[in-house]
Amino acid sequence: MERQILHIDVNNAFLSWTALEKLDNGEKIDIREIPAVIGGDESKRSGIVLAKSMKAKECGVATGETLYQARIKCPNLQVFSGNFKTYRKYSDKLYNLLLEYTDIIERYSIDECFLDMTNFLAGSSLIKKANEISKRVKEELGFTVNIGLANNKLLAKMASDFEKPDKIHTLFKNEIETKMWPLPIKDLFMLGRKTAPKLYNMNIKTIGDLAKTDKNLLIKIFGKYGRLIWEYANGIDESDVKYIKEDPKSIGNSVTLPRDLRQIEELEEVLLALVEQVTYRLRKTKMLATTVNVQLRTKDFEDFSHQKKLPMPTSNTKDIYNKAKEVLKEMYKDKLPIRLIGARVDGLIKKNEMQLSLFDSKGDEKQEKIDNIIDNLNEKYGYNSITRAGKLNINDIVNIKPKE
DNA sequence: TCTGGGGTCCTAGGACCC
DNA sequence: TCTGGGGTCCTAGGACCC
């Protein structure tokens, strides 16, 4: 029996949801109806387009470009800032509505879900369900979605990406040739800006061209990835809808600095603030890190990262910060002006699965207690209510707030 | 007032062991 | 005129996604 999969994609999610929040707060203008974008903050050197209204799209404004470029294309563009809490709220509303249709929902991102409807059709058809969901989301939640219908996740996702907004598309096996193969290769999921030109040079220009290319040749050139894009071009995808939330594999926090830094002491202060956020989130998940990773971006946008194993798995701020400092010191030798710094913990394991070690020291327990006290104070009184001595003047450099 | 931040997965090379 | 080979761990970098 063929699986019955839906992919639900919120149209211009960040902008639509911000529009609803504004209307809810009594504002008269619906920013979905004017040339508008949700953007970063140019004064913080993060001025890019995160979402755009249809009117802005008509001017040629693209997600990811700078607000500066967007304004050139669209001189009367209005820029608004978004809010993660708002996004979370509407994302949850959508999820709860979808739960009325099936338990098997994968929250692929904050604004996308896969639904496995195979055992939940009860005599109805997939298209009927899709129509009902679309209508209910619009009427009950106030925003629109695109829905893709297919027999696997890949095709459902490709289908939801066809004409927008507020549309339902099917992409069944017998439609692949007419609906998907004529599209340019860059439209294929997982085929990005680096691979498209390489295929172009091989005279592979459409998804159909890729589908008809010799699979073994692609594997020879691109390895596993070659197999993947060949299978996707042919509409092959056996992956399941992952409806059980998995443990994270890494947790990170990075920040673009308001000005380039070249003093390691300044970088260390920012690093401490980042590590505090990261380890706080790590402790919330009841996991321990085995590796610490530090990322830097120079003013010329050159990225590099270094990592080191911890002597034993931990979630202590102090241990992880000390390791991060060690990594930073080793990697930051040529004093290039630094635009961005990030800290990430990797190789996470469940805390209760860690073997008890002879090396577990009293020091660890002590650090754990300190972290717990600080976590509790932070939750009660807000971030930065208490801070370690080293961080006292980093707020002059950057103010790092938790995401949620 | 150009260019975010959070992730996952894969590859390739070196170290090290048997 | 030789100089294995397999396996695992670790690290750096890169590709992709939203």
PDB file of all heavy atoms in Angstrom, chain A residues 256-290:
ATOM      1  N   THR A 256      26.939  37.767  15.506  1.00  0.00           N
ATOM      2  CA  THR A 256      27.676  38.753  14.730  1.00  0.00           C
ATOM      3  C   THR A 256      27.936  39.934  15.646  1.00  0.00           C
ATOM      4  O   THR A 256      27.014  40.460  16.259  1.00  0.00           O
ATOM      5  CB  THR A 256      26.869  39.187  13.505  1.00  0.00           C
ATOM      6  OG1 THR A 256      26.750  38.062  12.632  1.00  0.00           O
ATOM      7  CG2 THR A 256      27.549  40.323  12.757  1.00  0.00           C
ATOM      8  N   LEU A 257      29.179  40.337  15.744  1.00  0.00           N
ATOM      9  CA  LEU A 257      29.553  41.401  16.684  1.00  0.00           C
ATOM     10  C   LEU A 257      29.234  42.771  16.088  1.00  0.00           C
ATOM     11  O   LEU A 257      29.345  42.956  14.878  1.00  0.00           O
ATOM     12  CB  LEU A 257      31.051  41.282  16.980  1.00  0.00           C
ATOM     13  CG  LEU A 257      31.433  39.919  17.565  1.00  0.00           C
ATOM     14  CD1 LEU A 257      32.905  39.603  17.330  1.00  0.00           C
ATOM     15  CD2 LEU A 257      31.102  39.873  19.046  1.00  0.00           C
ATOM     16  N   PRO A 258      28.837  43.707  16.926  1.00  0.00           N
ATOM     17  CA  PRO A 258      28.505  45.052  16.422  1.00  0.00           C
ATOM     18  C   PRO A 258      29.705  45.731  15.761  1.00  0.00           C
ATOM     19  O   PRO A 258      29.542  46.592  14.911  1.00  0.00           O
ATOM     20  CB  PRO A 258      28.085  45.821  17.662  1.00  0.00           C
ATOM     21  CG  PRO A 258      27.856  44.815  18.715  1.00  0.00           C
ATOM     22  CD  PRO A 258      28.630  43.582  18.354  1.00  0.00           C
ATOM     23  N   ARG A 259      30.909  45.351  16.189  1.00  0.00           N
ATOM     24  CA  ARG A 259      32.102  45.822  15.492  1.00  0.00           C
ATOM     25  C   ARG A 259      33.112  44.683  15.491  1.00  0.00           C
ATOM     26  O   ARG A 259      33.051  43.782  16.339  1.00  0.00           O
ATOM     27  CB  ARG A 259      32.702  47.058  16.188  1.00  0.00           C
ATOM     28  CG  ARG A 259      33.113  46.802  17.622  1.00  0.00           C
ATOM     29  CD  ARG A 259      33.710  48.036  18.303  1.00  0.00           C
ATOM     30  NE  ARG A 259      33.810  47.846  19.744  1.00  0.00           N
ATOM     31  CZ  ARG A 259      34.829  47.242  20.365  1.00  0.00           C
ATOM     32  NH1 ARG A 259      35.835  46.752  19.663  1.00  0.00           N
ATOM     33  NH2 ARG A 259      34.840  47.111  21.679  1.00  0.00           N
ATOM     34  N   ASP A 260      34.044  44.721  14.541  1.00  0.00           N
ATOM     35  CA  ASP A 260      35.046  43.665  14.476  1.00  0.00           C
ATOM     36  C   ASP A 260      35.942  43.728  15.702  1.00  0.00           C
ATOM     37  O   ASP A 260      36.334  44.810  16.141  1.00  0.00           O
ATOM     38  CB  ASP A 260      35.901  43.822  13.211  1.00  0.00           C
ATOM     39  CG  ASP A 260      35.070  43.623  11.946  1.00  0.00           C
ATOM     40  OD1 ASP A 260      34.064  42.897  12.029  1.00  0.00           O
ATOM     41  OD2 ASP A 260      35.416  44.199  10.908  1.00  0.00           O
ATOM     42  N   LEU A 261      36.269  42.575  16.238  1.00  0.00           N
ATOM     43  CA  LEU A 261      37.154  42.508  17.406  1.00  0.00           C
ATOM     44  C   LEU A 261      38.473  41.862  17.003  1.00  0.00           C
ATOM     45  O   LEU A 261      38.513  40.983  16.156  1.00  0.00           O
ATOM     46  CB  LEU A 261      36.505  41.666  18.525  1.00  0.00           C
ATOM     47  CG  LEU A 261      35.191  42.166  19.115  1.00  0.00           C
ATOM     48  CD1 LEU A 261      34.747  41.259  20.263  1.00  0.00           C
ATOM     49  CD2 LEU A 261      35.313  43.603  19.604  1.00  0.00           C
ATOM     50  N   ARG A 262      39.548  42.318  17.625  1.00  0.00           N
ATOM     51  CA  ARG A 262      40.834  41.662  17.368  1.00  0.00           C
ATOM     52  C   ARG A 262      41.633  41.417  18.636  1.00  0.00           C
ATOM     53  O   ARG A 262      42.781  40.981  18.570  1.00  0.00           O
ATOM     54  CB  ARG A 262      41.650  42.399  16.300  1.00  0.00           C
ATOM     55  CG  ARG A 262      41.717  43.917  16.455  1.00  0.00           C
ATOM     56  CD  ARG A 262      42.162  44.586  15.160  1.00  0.00           C
ATOM     57  NE  ARG A 262      43.212  43.839  14.483  1.00  0.00           N
ATOM     58  CZ  ARG A 262      43.522  43.950  13.202  1.00  0.00           C
ATOM     59  NH1 ARG A 262      42.842  44.782  12.436  1.00  0.00           N
ATOM     60  NH2 ARG A 262      44.496  43.261  12.676  1.00  0.00           N
ATOM     61  N   GLN A 263      41.039  41.680  19.765  1.00  0.00           N
ATOM     62  CA  GLN A 263      41.683  41.369  21.039  1.00  0.00           C
ATOM     63  C   GLN A 263      41.120  40.059  21.555  1.00  0.00           C
ATOM     64  O   GLN A 263      39.909  39.917  21.701  1.00  0.00           O
ATOM     65  CB  GLN A 263      41.374  42.456  22.074  1.00  0.00           C
ATOM     66  CG  GLN A 263      41.846  43.846  21.700  1.00  0.00           C
ATOM     67  CD  GLN A 263      43.348  43.953  21.711  1.00  0.00           C
ATOM     68  OE1 GLN A 263      44.013  43.346  22.555  1.00  0.00           O
ATOM     69  NE2 GLN A 263      43.903  44.711  20.768  1.00  0.00           N
ATOM     70  N   ILE A 264      42.006  39.137  21.873  1.00  0.00           N
ATOM     71  CA  ILE A 264      41.518  37.841  22.345  1.00  0.00           C
ATOM     72  C   ILE A 264      40.749  37.992  23.649  1.00  0.00           C
ATOM     73  O   ILE A 264      39.787  37.256  23.901  1.00  0.00           O
ATOM     74  CB  ILE A 264      42.659  36.806  22.443  1.00  0.00           C
ATOM     75  CG1 ILE A 264      42.071  35.392  22.537  1.00  0.00           C
ATOM     76  CG2 ILE A 264      43.576  37.100  23.622  1.00  0.00           C
ATOM     77  CD1 ILE A 264      42.978  34.305  22.092  1.00  0.00           C
ATOM     78  N   GLU A 265      41.119  38.974  24.468  1.00  0.00           N
ATOM     79  CA  GLU A 265      40.412  39.172  25.734  1.00  0.00           C
ATOM     80  C   GLU A 265      38.948  39.543  25.491  1.00  0.00           C
ATOM     81  O   GLU A 265      38.052  39.084  26.200  1.00  0.00           O
ATOM     82  CB  GLU A 265      41.091  40.270  26.570  1.00  0.00           C
ATOM     83  CG  GLU A 265      42.492  39.932  27.067  1.00  0.00           C
ATOM     84  CD  GLU A 265      43.579  40.054  25.993  1.00  0.00           C
ATOM     85  OE1 GLU A 265      43.301  40.663  24.919  1.00  0.00           O
ATOM     86  OE2 GLU A 265      44.681  39.526  26.202  1.00  0.00           O
ATOM     87  N   GLU A 266      38.712  40.361  24.489  1.00  0.00           N
ATOM     88  CA  GLU A 266      37.334  40.736  24.158  1.00  0.00           C
ATOM     89  C   GLU A 266      36.568  39.534  23.614  1.00  0.00           C
ATOM     90  O   GLU A 266      35.406  39.307  23.965  1.00  0.00           O
ATOM     91  CB  GLU A 266      37.324  41.864  23.111  1.00  0.00           C
ATOM     92  CG  GLU A 266      37.822  43.196  23.644  1.00  0.00           C
ATOM     93  CD  GLU A 266      37.829  44.271  22.566  1.00  0.00           C
ATOM     94  OE1 GLU A 266      38.258  43.999  21.429  1.00  0.00           O
ATOM     95  OE2 GLU A 266      37.380  45.387  22.868  1.00  0.00           O
ATOM     96  N   LEU A 267      37.238  38.772  22.756  1.00  0.00           N
ATOM     97  CA  LEU A 267      36.598  37.578  22.206  1.00  0.00           C
ATOM     98  C   LEU A 267      36.251  36.590  23.312  1.00  0.00           C
ATOM     99  O   LEU A 267      35.188  35.974  23.310  1.00  0.00           O
ATOM    100  CB  LEU A 267      37.512  36.916  21.173  1.00  0.00           C
ATOM    101  CG  LEU A 267      37.689  37.689  19.867  1.00  0.00           C
ATOM    102  CD1 LEU A 267      38.793  37.078  19.025  1.00  0.00           C
ATOM    103  CD2 LEU A 267      36.382  37.736  19.082  1.00  0.00           C
ATOM    104  N   GLU A 268      37.126  36.474  24.289  1.00  0.00           N
ATOM    105  CA  GLU A 268      36.884  35.560  25.404  1.00  0.00           C
ATOM    106  C   GLU A 268      35.647  35.964  26.209  1.00  0.00           C
ATOM    107  O   GLU A 268      34.896  35.111  26.669  1.00  0.00           O
ATOM    108  CB  GLU A 268      38.108  35.504  26.330  1.00  0.00           C
ATOM    109  CG  GLU A 268      39.220  34.628  25.787  1.00  0.00           C
ATOM    110  CD  GLU A 268      40.478  34.661  26.645  1.00  0.00           C
ATOM    111  OE1 GLU A 268      40.538  35.483  27.589  1.00  0.00           O
ATOM    112  OE2 GLU A 268      41.398  33.876  26.357  1.00  0.00           O
ATOM    113  N   GLU A 269      35.455  37.245  26.347  1.00  0.00           N
ATOM    114  CA  GLU A 269      34.276  37.680  27.110  1.00  0.00           C
ATOM    115  C   GLU A 269      32.987  37.332  26.392  1.00  0.00           C
ATOM    116  O   GLU A 269      32.015  36.892  26.996  1.00  0.00           O
ATOM    117  CB  GLU A 269      34.364  39.185  27.371  1.00  0.00           C
ATOM    118  CG  GLU A 269      35.514  39.520  28.305  1.00  0.00           C
ATOM    119  CD  GLU A 269      35.379  40.902  28.908  1.00  0.00           C
ATOM    120  OE1 GLU A 269      34.315  41.527  28.765  1.00  0.00           O
ATOM    121  OE2 GLU A 269      36.362  41.345  29.536  1.00  0.00           O
ATOM    122  N   VAL A 270      32.988  37.524  25.084  1.00  0.00           N
ATOM    123  CA  VAL A 270      31.806  37.144  24.312  1.00  0.00           C
ATOM    124  C   VAL A 270      31.626  35.632  24.366  1.00  0.00           C
ATOM    125  O   VAL A 270      30.512  35.120  24.521  1.00  0.00           O
ATOM    126  CB  VAL A 270      31.913  37.622  22.849  1.00  0.00           C
ATOM    127  CG1 VAL A 270      30.642  37.258  22.091  1.00  0.00           C
ATOM    128  CG2 VAL A 270      32.160  39.117  22.784  1.00  0.00           C
ATOM    129  N   LEU A 271      32.750  34.937  24.253  1.00  0.00           N
ATOM    130  CA  LEU A 271      32.713  33.473  24.288  1.00  0.00           C
ATOM    131  C   LEU A 271      32.069  32.972  25.576  1.00  0.00           C
ATOM    132  O   LEU A 271      31.269  32.031  25.554  1.00  0.00           O
ATOM    133  CB  LEU A 271      34.138  32.925  24.153  1.00  0.00           C
ATOM    134  CG  LEU A 271      34.285  31.420  23.934  1.00  0.00           C
ATOM    135  CD1 LEU A 271      33.620  30.984  22.636  1.00  0.00           C
ATOM    136  CD2 LEU A 271      35.755  31.017  23.935  1.00  0.00           C
ATOM    137  N   LEU A 272      32.379  33.603  26.681  1.00  0.00           N
ATOM    138  CA  LEU A 272      31.783  33.183  27.956  1.00  0.00           C
ATOM    139  C   LEU A 272      30.266  33.336  27.920  1.00  0.00           C
ATOM    140  O   LEU A 272      29.531  32.438  28.332  1.00  0.00           O
ATOM    141  CB  LEU A 272      32.373  33.987  29.126  1.00  0.00           C
ATOM    142  CG  LEU A 272      31.729  33.716  30.493  1.00  0.00           C
ATOM    143  CD1 LEU A 272      31.828  32.235  30.864  1.00  0.00           C
ATOM    144  CD2 LEU A 272      32.355  34.573  31.586  1.00  0.00           C
ATOM    145  N   ALA A 273      29.813  34.459  27.388  1.00  0.00           N
ATOM    146  CA  ALA A 273      28.362  34.669  27.311  1.00  0.00           C
ATOM    147  C   ALA A 273      27.716  33.595  26.427  1.00  0.00           C
ATOM    148  O   ALA A 273      26.653  33.061  26.758  1.00  0.00           O
ATOM    149  CB  ALA A 273      28.068  36.060  26.753  1.00  0.00           C
ATOM    150  N   LEU A 274      28.371  33.263  25.321  1.00  0.00           N
ATOM    151  CA  LEU A 274      27.844  32.233  24.417  1.00  0.00           C
ATOM    152  C   LEU A 274      27.817  30.878  25.106  1.00  0.00           C
ATOM    153  O   LEU A 274      26.830  30.139  25.026  1.00  0.00           O
ATOM    154  CB  LEU A 274      28.711  32.156  23.147  1.00  0.00           C
ATOM    155  CG  LEU A 274      28.694  33.388  22.243  1.00  0.00           C
ATOM    156  CD1 LEU A 274      29.816  33.309  21.208  1.00  0.00           C
ATOM    157  CD2 LEU A 274      27.345  33.525  21.545  1.00  0.00           C
ATOM    158  N   VAL A 275      28.909  30.550  25.791  1.00  0.00           N
ATOM    159  CA  VAL A 275      28.991  29.258  26.476  1.00  0.00           C
ATOM    160  C   VAL A 275      27.932  29.164  27.573  1.00  0.00           C
ATOM    161  O   VAL A 275      27.331  28.114  27.783  1.00  0.00           O
ATOM    162  CB  VAL A 275      30.411  29.032  27.049  1.00  0.00           C
ATOM    163  CG1 VAL A 275      30.422  27.863  28.019  1.00  0.00           C
ATOM    164  CG2 VAL A 275      31.408  28.791  25.927  1.00  0.00           C
ATOM    165  N   GLU A 276      27.671  30.262  28.241  1.00  0.00           N
ATOM    166  CA  GLU A 276      26.642  30.232  29.284  1.00  0.00           C
ATOM    167  C   GLU A 276      25.274  29.886  28.697  1.00  0.00           C
ATOM    168  O   GLU A 276      24.533  29.088  29.266  1.00  0.00           O
ATOM    169  CB  GLU A 276      26.573  31.586  30.007  1.00  0.00           C
ATOM    170  CG  GLU A 276      27.751  31.772  30.957  1.00  0.00           C
ATOM    171  CD  GLU A 276      27.612  32.992  31.834  1.00  0.00           C
ATOM    172  OE1 GLU A 276      27.014  33.992  31.372  1.00  0.00           O
ATOM    173  OE2 GLU A 276      28.113  32.958  32.963  1.00  0.00           O
ATOM    174  N   GLN A 277      24.946  30.466  27.545  1.00  0.00           N
ATOM    175  CA  GLN A 277      23.687  30.140  26.894  1.00  0.00           C
ATOM    176  C   GLN A 277      23.654  28.677  26.462  1.00  0.00           C
ATOM    177  O   GLN A 277      22.667  27.974  26.652  1.00  0.00           O
ATOM    178  CB  GLN A 277      23.478  31.016  25.644  1.00  0.00           C
ATOM    179  CG  GLN A 277      23.254  32.469  25.940  1.00  0.00           C
ATOM    180  CD  GLN A 277      22.098  32.676  26.871  1.00  0.00           C
ATOM    181  OE1 GLN A 277      21.108  31.935  26.816  1.00  0.00           O
ATOM    182  NE2 GLN A 277      22.210  33.641  27.747  1.00  0.00           N
ATOM    183  N   VAL A 278      24.740  28.260  25.852  1.00  0.00           N
ATOM    184  CA  VAL A 278      24.794  26.902  25.302  1.00  0.00           C
ATOM    185  C   VAL A 278      24.692  25.860  26.409  1.00  0.00           C
ATOM    186  O   VAL A 278      23.927  24.902  26.318  1.00  0.00           O
ATOM    187  CB  VAL A 278      26.093  26.717  24.490  1.00  0.00           C
ATOM    188  CG1 VAL A 278      26.351  25.241  24.213  1.00  0.00           C
ATOM    189  CG2 VAL A 278      26.021  27.498  23.196  1.00  0.00           C
ATOM    190  N   THR A 279      25.448  26.061  27.479  1.00  0.00           N
ATOM    191  CA  THR A 279      25.446  25.058  28.541  1.00  0.00           C
ATOM    192  C   THR A 279      24.118  25.074  29.305  1.00  0.00           C
ATOM    193  O   THR A 279      23.664  24.039  29.777  1.00  0.00           O
ATOM    194  CB  THR A 279      26.616  25.261  29.523  1.00  0.00           C
ATOM    195  OG1 THR A 279      26.602  26.606  30.000  1.00  0.00           O
ATOM    196  CG2 THR A 279      27.942  24.973  28.837  1.00  0.00           C
ATOM    197  N   TYR A 280      23.507  26.251  29.376  1.00  0.00           N
ATOM    198  CA  TYR A 280      22.174  26.316  29.995  1.00  0.00           C
ATOM    199  C   TYR A 280      21.194  25.442  29.212  1.00  0.00           C
ATOM    200  O   TYR A 280      20.479  24.615  29.785  1.00  0.00           O
ATOM    201  CB  TYR A 280      21.683  27.771  30.033  1.00  0.00           C
ATOM    202  CG  TYR A 280      20.242  27.913  30.443  1.00  0.00           C
ATOM    203  CD1 TYR A 280      19.855  27.724  31.765  1.00  0.00           C
ATOM    204  CD2 TYR A 280      19.257  28.213  29.510  1.00  0.00           C
ATOM    205  CE1 TYR A 280      18.532  27.837  32.147  1.00  0.00           C
ATOM    206  CE2 TYR A 280      17.927  28.328  29.872  1.00  0.00           C
ATOM    207  CZ  TYR A 280      17.566  28.136  31.195  1.00  0.00           C
ATOM    208  OH  TYR A 280      16.258  28.239  31.564  1.00  0.00           O
ATOM    209  N   ARG A 281      21.200  25.598  27.905  1.00  0.00           N
ATOM    210  CA  ARG A 281      20.302  24.785  27.070  1.00  0.00           C
ATOM    211  C   ARG A 281      20.679  23.305  27.164  1.00  0.00           C
ATOM    212  O   ARG A 281      19.814  22.433  27.162  1.00  0.00           O
ATOM    213  CB  ARG A 281      20.364  25.270  25.624  1.00  0.00           C
ATOM    214  CG  ARG A 281      19.600  26.582  25.427  1.00  0.00           C
ATOM    215  CD  ARG A 281      20.021  27.306  24.168  1.00  0.00           C
ATOM    216  NE  ARG A 281      19.830  26.510  22.963  1.00  0.00           N
ATOM    217  CZ  ARG A 281      20.465  26.719  21.821  1.00  0.00           C
ATOM    218  NH1 ARG A 281      21.337  27.706  21.721  1.00  0.00           N
ATOM    219  NH2 ARG A 281      20.229  25.967  20.785  1.00  0.00           N
ATOM    220  N   LEU A 282      21.970  23.050  27.217  1.00  0.00           N
ATOM    221  CA  LEU A 282      22.447  21.667  27.345  1.00  0.00           C
ATOM    222  C   LEU A 282      21.905  21.028  28.619  1.00  0.00           C
ATOM    223  O   LEU A 282      21.394  19.911  28.614  1.00  0.00           O
ATOM    224  CB  LEU A 282      23.979  21.671  27.348  1.00  0.00           C
ATOM    225  CG  LEU A 282      24.711  20.334  27.462  1.00  0.00           C
ATOM    226  CD1 LEU A 282      24.389  19.431  26.279  1.00  0.00           C
ATOM    227  CD2 LEU A 282      26.217  20.560  27.553  1.00  0.00           C
ATOM    228  N   ARG A 283      21.994  21.745  29.729  1.00  0.00           N
ATOM    229  CA  ARG A 283      21.510  21.212  31.006  1.00  0.00           C
ATOM    230  C   ARG A 283      19.999  20.996  30.964  1.00  0.00           C
ATOM    231  O   ARG A 283      19.487  20.040  31.527  1.00  0.00           O
ATOM    232  CB  ARG A 283      21.890  22.153  32.159  1.00  0.00           C
ATOM    233  CG  ARG A 283      23.396  22.189  32.430  1.00  0.00           C
ATOM    234  CD  ARG A 283      23.734  22.971  33.685  1.00  0.00           C
ATOM    235  NE  ARG A 283      23.591  24.405  33.558  1.00  0.00           N
ATOM    236  CZ  ARG A 283      24.548  25.244  33.150  1.00  0.00           C
ATOM    237  NH1 ARG A 283      25.730  24.785  32.801  1.00  0.00           N
ATOM    238  NH2 ARG A 283      24.323  26.541  33.081  1.00  0.00           N
ATOM    239  N   LYS A 284      19.276  21.884  30.260  1.00  0.00           N
ATOM    240  CA  LYS A 284      17.819  21.725  30.132  1.00  0.00           C
ATOM    241  C   LYS A 284      17.470  20.417  29.422  1.00  0.00           C
ATOM    242  O   LYS A 284      16.433  19.821  29.702  1.00  0.00           O
ATOM    243  CB  LYS A 284      17.217  22.896  29.341  1.00  0.00           C
ATOM    244  CG  LYS A 284      17.123  24.197  30.098  1.00  0.00           C
ATOM    245  CD  LYS A 284      16.059  24.164  31.163  1.00  0.00           C
ATOM    246  CE  LYS A 284      16.654  24.641  32.471  1.00  0.00           C
ATOM    247  NZ  LYS A 284      15.886  24.288  33.649  1.00  0.00           N
ATOM    248  N   THR A 285      18.302  20.003  28.480  1.00  0.00           N
ATOM    249  CA  THR A 285      18.007  18.764  27.760  1.00  0.00           C
ATOM    250  C   THR A 285      18.490  17.526  28.506  1.00  0.00           C
ATOM    251  O   THR A 285      18.324  16.419  28.036  1.00  0.00           O
ATOM    252  CB  THR A 285      18.671  18.742  26.361  1.00  0.00           C
ATOM    253  OG1 THR A 285      20.093  18.755  26.540  1.00  0.00           O
ATOM    254  CG2 THR A 285      18.267  19.929  25.524  1.00  0.00           C
ATOM    255  N   LYS A 286      19.117  17.754  29.659  1.00  0.00           N
ATOM    256  CA  LYS A 286      19.654  16.652  30.460  1.00  0.00           C
ATOM    257  C   LYS A 286      20.643  15.810  29.663  1.00  0.00           C
ATOM    258  O   LYS A 286      20.628  14.583  29.678  1.00  0.00           O
ATOM    259  CB  LYS A 286      18.524  15.758  30.996  1.00  0.00           C
ATOM    260  CG  LYS A 286      17.483  16.517  31.818  1.00  0.00           C
ATOM    261  CD  LYS A 286      17.051  15.698  33.007  1.00  0.00           C
ATOM    262  CE  LYS A 286      15.942  16.327  33.832  1.00  0.00           C
ATOM    263  NZ  LYS A 286      15.996  17.762  34.010  1.00  0.00           N
ATOM    264  N   MET A 287      21.514  16.543  28.960  1.00  0.00           N
ATOM    265  CA  MET A 287      22.546  15.857  28.192  1.00  0.00           C
ATOM    266  C   MET A 287      23.918  16.394  28.584  1.00  0.00           C
ATOM    267  O   MET A 287      24.026  17.428  29.244  1.00  0.00           O
ATOM    268  CB  MET A 287      22.301  16.050  26.697  1.00  0.00           C
ATOM    269  CG  MET A 287      20.973  15.464  26.250  1.00  0.00           C
ATOM    270  SD  MET A 287      20.764  15.463  24.472  1.00  0.00           S
ATOM    271  CE  MET A 287      21.597  13.960  24.054  1.00  0.00           C
ATOM    272  N   LEU A 288      24.931  15.654  28.165  1.00  0.00           N
ATOM    273  CA  LEU A 288      26.310  16.053  28.414  1.00  0.00           C
ATOM    274  C   LEU A 288      27.041  16.152  27.090  1.00  0.00           C
ATOM    275  O   LEU A 288      26.752  15.404  26.159  1.00  0.00           O
ATOM    276  CB  LEU A 288      27.012  15.014  29.306  1.00  0.00           C
ATOM    277  CG  LEU A 288      26.374  14.743  30.672  1.00  0.00           C
ATOM    278  CD1 LEU A 288      27.088  13.579  31.363  1.00  0.00           C
ATOM    279  CD2 LEU A 288      26.414  15.997  31.555  1.00  0.00           C
ATOM    280  N   ALA A 289      28.000  17.056  27.029  1.00  0.00           N
ATOM    281  CA  ALA A 289      28.773  17.245  25.805  1.00  0.00           C
ATOM    282  C   ALA A 289      30.084  16.496  25.897  1.00  0.00           C
ATOM    283  O   ALA A 289      30.677  16.377  26.976  1.00  0.00           O
ATOM    284  CB  ALA A 289      29.028  18.732  25.596  1.00  0.00           C
ATOM    285  N   THR A 290      30.549  16.004  24.759  1.00  0.00           N
ATOM    286  CA  THR A 290      31.871  15.383  24.728  1.00  0.00           C
ATOM    287  C   THR A 290      32.876  16.251  23.965  1.00  0.00           C
ATOM    288  O   THR A 290      34.075  16.034  24.088  1.00  0.00           O
ATOM    289  CB  THR A 290      31.836  13.985  24.067  1.00  0.00           C
ATOM    290  OG1 THR A 290      31.399  14.125  22.709  1.00  0.00           O
ATOM    291  CG2 THR A 290      30.890  13.056  24.805  1.00  0.00           C
TER     292      THR A 290
END
